[in-house]
C-alpha cells in the first residue's frame, strides 16, 4: 500500500471538525519477525502522524534499543527481535521528548535549529526551548 492510499484511508469518513479535535494518538507499532530481524511495517505511517523525519526517528529508536537497522519502503528493519511493548515504548519516549510541547502538552511542534542548537518550536502556544538530540 502506498502512502497516498494510507492518507486517503485515514481521512475517509471523518468529518473535518472532528478530525481537528481528534486526540493525538501515536499509531501502535505493526511488526513481524523474519529470521533474526524485526520489521516495523508501519514505520513511515507513525512518523507522518507524529510529523517527524523518519531518519531522525529511526536514529533515535536504534540508539534507544541498542541495535542496528535500515529503512526500506516505509518500513524499518531492525537486527534482533523486539516486543511490541519495547518498540511502542521507545517511540512514546521519542514523542514525549521531541514532539509533545512541554509547556502546553500539545503535539503541534517543529524541531528547528538556531545557531546549531536544536530547539522545539510550538505552533500551539508559541513556546520554544532547547532540546538535546
Ligand atoms: Zn506549546
Amino acid at each position: 500500500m502506498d502512502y497516498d492510499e494510507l492518507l486517503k484511508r485515514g481521512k475517509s469518513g471523518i468529518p473535518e471538525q472532528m478530525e481537528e479535535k481528534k486526540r493525538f494518538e501515536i499509531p501502535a507499532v505493526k511488526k513481524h519477525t523474519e529470521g533474526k530481524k524485526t520489521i516495523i511495517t508501519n514505520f513511515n505511517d507513525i512518523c507522518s502522524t507524529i510529523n517527524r523525519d523518519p531518519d531522525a526517528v529511526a536514529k533515535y529508536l536504534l540508539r534507544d534499543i541498542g541495535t542496528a537497522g535500515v529503512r526500506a519502503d516505509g518500513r524499518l528493519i531492525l537486527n534482533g527481535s523486539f516486543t511490541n511493548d519495547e518498540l511502542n515504548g521507545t517511540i512514546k519516549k521519542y514523542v514525549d521528548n521531541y514532539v509533545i510541547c512541554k509547556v502546553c502538552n500539545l503535539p503541534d511542534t517543529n524541531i528547528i535549529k538556531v545557531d546549531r542548537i536544536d530547539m522545539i518550536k510550538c505552533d500551539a502556544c508559541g513556546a520554544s526551548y532547547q532540546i538535546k538530540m
Side-chain angles (χ1 to χ4, degrees), residues 11 17 44 69:
K11 296 212 170 192
Q17 271 190 331
N44 276 21

Side-chain angles (χ1 to χ4, degrees), residues 19-89:
E19 198 181 352
E20 261 179 22
K21 295 237 162 100
K22 196 175 62 162
R23 202 162 62 86
F24 176 67
E25 263 181 67
I26 311 165
V29 163
K30 289 182 191 144
K31 65 144 175 77
H32 62 259
T33 309
E34 268 178 35
K36 287 180 177 163
K37 292 184 193 299
T38 302
I39 299 164
I40 302 178
T41 53
N42 63 337
F43 186 70
N44 276 21
D45 192 27
I46 293 169
C47 295
S48 72
T49 301
I50 67 173
N51 189 28
R52 285 296 179 269
D53 175 23
D55 282 329
V57 180
K59 202 173 137 194
Y60 175 87
L61 195 145
L62 294 174
R63 194 178 50 195
D64 193 51
I65 60 178
T67 190
V70 290
R71 294 205 305 114
D73 303 326
R75 304 173 309 165
L76 181 65
I77 302 163
L78 305 167
N79 291 341
S81 64
F82 300 93
T83 65
N84 283 354
D85 281 354
E86 283 174 300
L87 299 172
N88 287 324

